[in-house]
């Protein structure tokens, strides 16, 4: 199994400065991920209004919240292989069209069934974003900056989440100033919140029309050398000629989707997918319902519906700031600590934050001490999550597979992760209604510690990546001994 980066294109790519076209590609990938963050987390702010407007049961709330995640699972699983077949560029065009149309549909939904359907289709578009984005950046950014650039793009998920929380605060406050604002907010606030996501999607679509770029590595793997030369010249902003002699296709046992389950790649698939699956149980179960959890623990004493939801949305915006701080920490640490060490320490930190939240749920949140515990727990959880596994799982999903099956592998890992997100988003509210906040928040630290253990167990599955001078794409050697 040869992952050698000794061919001419990779050498010139790794020696190249970051060109304008690399930055455009990175910005496009970051924009797609920002849409994902906004859309997944704005639903948490909108849910209380949807519950009132459509008179949703607990099961219907879970179904509404989980629809986009289920769509993402389907999109990652099916569109990852399609991306490997038709190319990153064509799939990106299809993805943006799906996202714009489906987001508009959610804002105009006439009943909960229509809303769930459109949310599912939005999720299909989101599911395609993961393999497209990680493949684009992994294959087109110099190795010395690859880890930082992948995580930097993925950090825009937190930017999107924060933007969603701020959008919620602004929209709710606007309705609070109106006569009959509560009734109007119940009917229209959630539509405006979800519709803003469509406007953001149009902005990303406009950026997409600004340039055209397929991955040269994709063309090399398919032995399309004329196209590879054109795209490499565009990417590196200088004339590049790629031939079968200078850049032979990578020698790999991977040939198709089934290769992901073969002996040479099985442990890589497990490393890329199982910790991500466990992480998403906590990430989405807690993240989407952050305003609801804050409202239930800290602001349940407020009499006014709008006052309670405004306070919860403001609290969510505050703790979501630490999602961004976590990603900044990951960008700084990823090449210093390595992927595995960062992922394990992040899972441990998430467990600590959730344990604090579990304890906070037993205290009187109306006191300064009780309220402080709530925010300390969320801050530690969000900071640890994005400084560790929420960044590294995405990064590893693109690094451990060769180009011929990279989007397929990243898509499969993301799809398995979304199974965890479905379990967290749909299952935790049901468990919460049966067991209460304290029990649910006490179970989640166990999930995080299990993910840390599995990461350690399979840490050597990427060991043979370290066979070239380009160490930045590999896990630290010290972690793999």
């Amino acid at each position: 199994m040869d992952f050698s980066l000794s061919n001419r294109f990779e050498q010139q790519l790794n020696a190249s400065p970051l060109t304008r076209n690399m930055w455009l590609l990175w910005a496009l990938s970051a924009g797609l991920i920002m849409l994902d963050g906004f859309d997944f987390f704005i639903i948490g702010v909108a849910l209380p209004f949807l519950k009132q407007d459509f008179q949703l049961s607990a099961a219907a709330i879970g179904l509404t919240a989980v629809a986009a995640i289920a769509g993402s699972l389907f999109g990652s699983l099916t569109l990852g292989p399609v991306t490997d077949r038709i190319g990153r560029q064509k799939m990106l065009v299809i993805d943006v069209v799906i996202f714009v149309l489906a987001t508009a549909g959610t804002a105009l939904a006439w009943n909960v069934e229509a809303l769930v359907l459109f949310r599912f289709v939005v999720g299909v578009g989101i599911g395609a974003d993961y393999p497209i984005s990680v493949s684009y950046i992994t294959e087109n950014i110099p190795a010395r900056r690859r880890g930082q650039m992948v995580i930097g793009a993925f950090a825009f998920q937190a930017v999107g989440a924060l933007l969603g929380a701020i959008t919620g605060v602004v929209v709710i406050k606007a309705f609070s100033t109106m006569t009959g604002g509560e009734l109007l907010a119940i009917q229209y606030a959630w539509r405006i919140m979800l519709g803003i996501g469509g406007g953001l999607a149009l902005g990303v679509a406009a950026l997409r029309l600004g340039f055209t770029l397929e991955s040269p590595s994709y063309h090399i793997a398919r032995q399309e050398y004329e196209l590879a030369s054109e795209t490499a010249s565009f990417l590196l902003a200088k004339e590049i000629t790629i031939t079968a002699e200078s850049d032979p296709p990578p020698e790999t046992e991977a040939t198709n989707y089934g290769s992901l389950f073969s002996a040479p790649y099985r442990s890589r698939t497990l490393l890329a997918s199982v910790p991500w699956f466990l992480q998403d149980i906590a990430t989405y179960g807690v993240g989407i319902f952050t305003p609801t959890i804050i409202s239930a623990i800290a602001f349940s004493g407020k009499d006014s519906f709008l006052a309670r939801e405004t306070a919860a949305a403001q609290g969510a915006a505050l703790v979501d700031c630490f999602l961004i701080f976590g990603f900044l920490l990951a960008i700084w640490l990823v090449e210093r600590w390595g992927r595995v060490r960062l992922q394990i320490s992040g899972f441990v930190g998430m467990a600590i934050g959730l344990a604090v939240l579990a304890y906070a749920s037993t205290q009187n949140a109306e006191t300064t001490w009780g309220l402080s515990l709530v925010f300390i727990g969320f801050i530690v959880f969000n900071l640890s999550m994005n400084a560790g596994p929420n960044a590294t799982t995405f990064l590893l999903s693109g690094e451990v597979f060769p180009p011929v099956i990279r989007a397929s592998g990243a898509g499969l890992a993301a799809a398995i992760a979304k199974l965890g997100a479905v379990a967290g988003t749909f299952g935790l509210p049901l468990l919460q209604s049966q067991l209460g906040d304290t029990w649910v928040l006490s179970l989640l630290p166990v999930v995080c510690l299990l993910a840390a253990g599995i990461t350690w167990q399979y840490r050597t599955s990427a060991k043979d990546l370290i066979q070239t001078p380009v160490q930045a794409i590999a896990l630290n050697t010290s972690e793999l001994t």
Side-chain angles (χ1 to χ4, degrees):
M1 195 164 26
D2 183 8
F3 280 76
S4 174
L5 300 183
S6 60
N7 61 58
R8 184 183 178 195
F9 168 68
E10 289 289 353
Q11 288 177 338
Q12 296 198 55
L13 174 64
N14 292 330
S16 173
L18 291 177
T19 65
R20 175 181 177 274
N21 292 323
M22 289 179 190
W23 280 112
L24 282 173
L25 181 150
W26 179 87
L28 179 60
S29 298
L32 289 171
I33 294 169
M34 183 191 70
L35 291 179
D36 300 349
F38 180 90
D39 194 82
F40 272 145
F41 288 94
I42 192 65
I43 195 66
V45 183
L47 269 175
F49 299 91
L50 278 163
K51 180 181 179 181
Q52 297 275 354
D53 194 14
F54 289 150
Q55 297 298 300
L56 300 180
S57 64
I61 291 172
L63 188 60
T64 302
V66 83
I69 299 173
S72 178
L73 187 160
F74 179 81
S76 296
L77 194 62
T78 59
L79 298 183
V82 173
T83 301
D84 279 330
R85 283 199 297 271
I86 70 173
R88 288 80 168 112
Q89 176 184 304
K90 291 179 182 177
M91 192 64 244
L92 194 148
V93 174
I94 296 170
D95 179 40
V96 171
V97 171
I98 290 173
F99 200 94
V100 170
L101 295 179
T103 303
T106 62
L108 300 173
W110 50 94
N111 57 30
V112 68
E113 290 81 11
L115 178 68
V116 168
L117 175 62
F118 284 121
R119 292 283 299 162
F120 179 86
V121 179
V122 166
V124 172
I126 289 174
D129 290 347
Y130 290 98
I132 293 171
S133 298
V134 74
S135 297
Y136 249 150
I137 300 176
T138 300
E139 294 170 358
N140 295 294
I141 296 295
R144 68 184 184 277
R145 300 291 300 274
R146 195 167 292 154
Q148 293 174 326
M149 295 290 278
V150 170
I151 293 176
F154 200 58
F156 275 74
Q157 184 192 69
V159 174
L162 178 59
L163 185 58
I166 293 172
T167 297
V169 171
V170 172
V171 171
I172 295 170
K173 281 188 172 293
F175 279 100
S176 298
T177 64
M178 300 178 185
T179 303
E182 183 167 316
L183 179 60
L184 290 172
I186 289 170
Q187 294 175 333
Y188 298 108
W190 65 268
R191 295 183 185 275
I192 294 173
M193 293 176 196
L194 298 181
I196 287 172
L200 294 175
L202 287 173
V204 174
L207 177 61
R208 166 64 190 86
L209 296 174
F211 72 104
T212 301
L213 177 64
E214 183 54 85
S215 168
S217 295
Y218 172 80
H219 287 308
I220 292 170
R222 294 166 63 90
Q223 302 184 54
E224 299 168 346
Y225 290 106
E226 184 175 343
L227 291 173
S229 299
E230 292 176 7
T231 54
S233 299
F234 182 82
L235 180 68
L236 301 184
K238 63 180 182 179
E239 190 66 30
I240 302 290
T241 300
I242 296 176
T243 65
E245 291 71 30
S246 67
D247 293 77
E251 296 177 12
T252 172
E253 298 172 35
T255 57
N256 54 40
Y257 196 82
S259 301
L260 296 171
F261 307 99
S262 64
Y265 293 98
R266 193 178 302 125
S267 60
R268 296 169 184 270
T269 301
L270 290 170
L271 175 66
S273 59
V274 177
W276 200 356
F277 165 81
L278 294 170
Q279 177 225 315
D280 272 9
I281 292 177
T283 296
Y284 286 89
V286 174
I288 286 181
F289 293 102
T290 293
T292 303
I293 294 171
I294 291 176
S295 177
I297 297 177
F299 301 120
S300 58
K302 290 186 177 292
D303 296 328
S304 166
F305 171 74
L306 285 182
R308 185 169 61 250
E309 296 309 321
T310 298
Q314 289 174 328
L318 173 63
V319 298
D320 282 351
C321 289
F322 289 87
L323 295 172
I324 298 175
F325 296 153
F327 274 130
L328 293 175
L329 193 58
I331 292 169
W332 183 58
L333 289 176
V334 65
E335 304 298 353
R336 292 173 171 84
W337 284 18
R339 282 67 160 151
V340 166
R341 189 177 302 157
L342 203 56
Q343 185 158 302
I344 291 173
S345 61
F347 275 128
V348 172
M350 288 170 66
I352 293 171
L354 289 166
V356 172
L357 279 175
Y359 178 68
S361 69
T362 68
Q363 306 299 301
N364 180 3
E366 297 297 322
T367 65
T368 301
W369 167 246
L371 188 60
S372 297
L373 281 176
V374 172
F375 284 97
I376 288 171
F378 269 113
I379 288 169
V380 172
F381 175 81
N382 284 350
L383 192 67
S384 300
M385 176 178 68
N386 279 8
N390 201 31
T392 54
T393 50
F394 180 70
L395 175 58
L396 285 170
S397 74
E399 287 188 333
V400 298
F401 302 109
V404 68
I405 57 167
R406 177 167 287 134
S408 298
L412 175 65
I416 293 173
K418 291 305 166 283
L419 283 174
V422 169
T425 306
F426 190 73
L428 289 185
L430 297 179
L431 283 176
Q432 184 184 29
S433 65
Q434 296 295 318
L435 303 176
D437 293 324
T438 302
W439 271 104
V440 171
L441 291 170
S442 298
L443 290 172
L444 287 175
V446 178
V447 173
C448 294
L449 293 176
L450 177 62
I454 291 174
T455 301
W456 176 257
Q457 175 67 30
Y458 289 103
R459 70 193 185 280
T460 58
S461 64
K463 194 171 185 177
D464 61 340
L465 285 174
I466 307 175
Q467 36 174 282
T468 76
V470 185
Q471 299 295 318
I473 68 165
L475 307 180
N476 284 352
T477 306
S478 60
E479 296 175 350
L480 303 175
T481 58

